[in-house]
Amino acid sequence: MTEQRWYTIKDVDQLDTPALVIYPHRVKQNIDIVKNLIDDVYRLRPHVKTHKNSHVTQLMLDAGITKFKCATIAEAEMLGMANAPDVLLAYQPGGPKIKRLILLILTYPATKYSCLIDNQQSAKAISDAAIENDINLNVFIDLDVGMHRTGIIPDDEAVKLYKYCAELPGITPIGLHAYDGHIHDADLIERTQKSNSSFAPVLKLQAELKQKAFTPIVVSGSTPTYSINAARPDIECSPGTFVYWDRGYQSAFIEEPFLTAALIVARVISLPTDTTICIDCGHKSIASESELSKRIFFLNAPELKMKGHSEEHLVADAGEDHQYNIGDVLYGLPWHVCPTVALYERAITIENNIITGEWLNIARDRIITI
């Protein structure tokens, strides 16, 4: 009798592949875990880039989470559609994105939106748009604490930018944003040391702003540094990947208690040689930015060695005298779940090992309605 594993789908014959499948009971457990790792749920501001759907958002809202972070206008609109109370667009809007953000604010008045700023030119453009539409928009100063992609160094220039924004009509600076996605050391001690080092200038900047009568909130962190930042007082924490987890984080951060909750189900479609198998899981099915060995890990076929990858096919070395047959079902854990989810318009839900429905990943699109 075949062993019944947590991920096995009894009616998998009804599922076309490749398919993104989600296990809602494990998602709920991850939400409970992230809540239990912090002293106050009010300090949680999860990033929705991983799940991109209203169903997970609702589970978080039901759990008492009221603040969210996102990276795209579509993600921001998905949150507005869910009546999320507080949404930070962790991106500096420019060009048409400013108009779209303004329209979001006007369309979803139950949601309080804010965004990032790291220079005076952008601040002025957003201020002008806000004035034109008779609104006031809260903004966070985006700080570069080591990621080196956007943001301003947390020094005197950041103080000047904060004061500049405070003097502009239409916008109000309310905080600092410090994303530390560059910190992903496997060793927790090293990770903590690097986190403390990158965060020290933020605390210094916050103290300087308080001396000037400002009261900046600090939004910081990612999933790898979540437990570190959760231990700091009065910091809003923004983990994202925790909700689904993946092979990359599972392998790197063994102390984290989160459960893998999203898989790619695939099938063996060809046996090109005596030792290789071909699987219907190409670039269009799994995030492929990493080396070939770090794209997907098959839970029920851990010995497979990936040999080749193209748009629709994945070739793996199964070894001599392997027992794989055409049609065999494989359950794959993505190494990087966030961009993998973005490849699928829908996720199939699995409960009690049975297909129960689907969750539309509506925020994978660039535009929902706005």
Side-chain angles (χ1 to χ4, degrees):
M1 184 175 181
T2 303
E3 179 187 357
Q4 188 70 57
R5 297 165 177 158
W6 69 265
Y7 53 81
T8 304
I9 303 172
K10 293 177 182 178
D11 52 350
V12 72
D13 289 345
Q14 305 301 312
L15 185 66
D16 195 9
T17 54
L20 170 66
V21 298
I22 303 296
Y23 300 79
H25 67 289
R26 293 172 77 89
V27 174
K28 294 174 185 176
Q29 285 180 270
N30 285 337
I31 294 172
D32 287 340
I33 290 169
V34 85
K35 282 180 57 180
N36 291 333
L37 290 175
I38 201 165
D39 61 340
D40 187 349
V41 69
Y42 190 71
R43 293 176 54 214
L44 270 173
R45 189 183 284 275
H47 204 311
V48 304
K49 67 185 179 71
T50 301
H51 60 81
K52 300 181 184 297
N53 73 70
S54 58
H55 298 274
V56 175
T57 300
Q58 190 60 54
L59 290 176
M60 291 184 178
L61 287 167
D62 292 344
I65 297 170
T66 60
K67 301 176 183 179
F68 297 87
K69 192 164 85 167
C70 62
T72 69
I73 297 294
E75 291 170 359
E77 182 171 10
M78 181 270 291
L79 290 164
M81 294 168 70
N83 290 315
D86 187 332
V87 173
L88 167 59
L89 176 65
Y91 207 90
Q92 180 167 255
K97 276 191 175 61
I98 298 177
K99 295 181 180 179
R100 293 177 69 197
L101 177 58
I102 297 295
L103 186 54
L104 272 179
I105 294 169
L106 298 174
T107 305
Y108 299 99
T111 299
K112 181 178 68 177
Y113 286 101
S114 55
C115 71
L116 301 185
I117 286 177
D118 72 1
N119 68 86
Q120 291 189 8
Q121 179 180 340
S122 295
K124 183 65 166 59
I126 295 170
S127 168
D128 290 345
I131 295 169
E132 183 179 347
N133 289 276
D134 194 27
I135 64 170
N136 188 86
L137 176 62
N138 289 336
V139 299
F140 287 74
I141 303 303
D142 191 21
L143 302 176
D144 180 5
V145 294
M147 197 70 185
H148 303 323
R149 61 182 187 189
T150 64
I152 186 171
I153 300 299
D155 57 14
D156 290 343
E157 291 303 312
V159 174
K160 292 178 183 178
L161 179 59
Y162 204 101
K163 292 176 63 179
Y164 176 79
C165 290
E167 293 167 357
L168 284 175
I171 64 172
T172 301
I174 64 168
L176 307 170
H177 176 263
Y179 178 60
D180 56 6
H182 62 294
I183 302 173
H184 40 70
D185 301 82
D187 184 86
L188 181 57
I189 294 176
E190 291 183 19
R191 210 181 323 145
T192 301
Q193 290 173 341
K194 288 186 178 180
S195 176
N196 291 339
S197 177
S198 71
F199 200 72
V202 179
L203 289 176
K204 184 173 182 287
L205 174 60
Q206 184 188 36
E208 291 178 7
L209 289 170
K210 285 183 176 180
Q211 290 178 353
K212 299 181 184 299
F214 296 113
T215 56
I217 303 165
V218 175
V219 176
S220 184
S222 59
T223 296
T225 58
Y226 172 64
S227 60
I228 302 167
N229 281 296
R232 307 184 201 277
D234 304 322
I235 301 300
E236 290 186 6
C237 300
S238 301
T241 305
F242 78 92
V243 75
Y244 285 165
W245 212 226
D246 57 24
R247 180 62 175 176
Y249 280 6
Q250 181 190 60
S251 300
F253 313 123
I254 58 175
E255 80 285 349
E256 298 295 341
F258 301 110
L259 306 176
T260 49
L263 299 179
I264 302 302
V265 179
R267 283 186 171 90
V268 177
I269 58 171
S270 181
L271 305 174
T273 73
D274 290 341
T275 60
T276 58
I277 65 174
C278 185
I279 306 161
D280 60 350
C281 188
H283 295 306
K284 297 175 182 177
S285 309
I286 193 78
S288 303
E289 79 271 30
S290 299
E291 61 177 284
L292 188 54
S293 65
K294 292 184 177 180
R295 296 181 184 177
I296 190 167
F297 174 79
F298 292 106
L299 299 177
N300 60 331
E303 79 286 354
L304 293 181
K305 294 182 174 61
M306 310 311 158
K307 304 296 290 185
H309 206 191
S310 53
E311 290 188 29
E312 305 289 354
H313 304 84
L314 174 62
V315 177
D317 186 344
E320 296 182 358
D321 301 320
H322 70 77
Q323 301 299 307
Y324 292 100
N325 296 301
I326 292 175
D328 283 352
V329 175
L330 301 179
Y331 296 86
L333 179 59
W335 273 84
H336 193 181
V337 71
C338 306
T340 296
V341 170
L343 297 171
Y344 293 84
E345 66 175 6
R346 67 196 65 228
I348 307 303
T349 53
I350 311 297
E351 300 181 81
N352 296 317
N353 302 99
I354 296 292
I355 297 171
T356 56
E358 63 182 30
W359 290 349
L360 295 180
N361 300 321
I362 60 171
R364 72 184 284 267
D365 296 332
R366 288 293 175 182
I367 296 175
I368 300 178
T369 68
I370 292 175

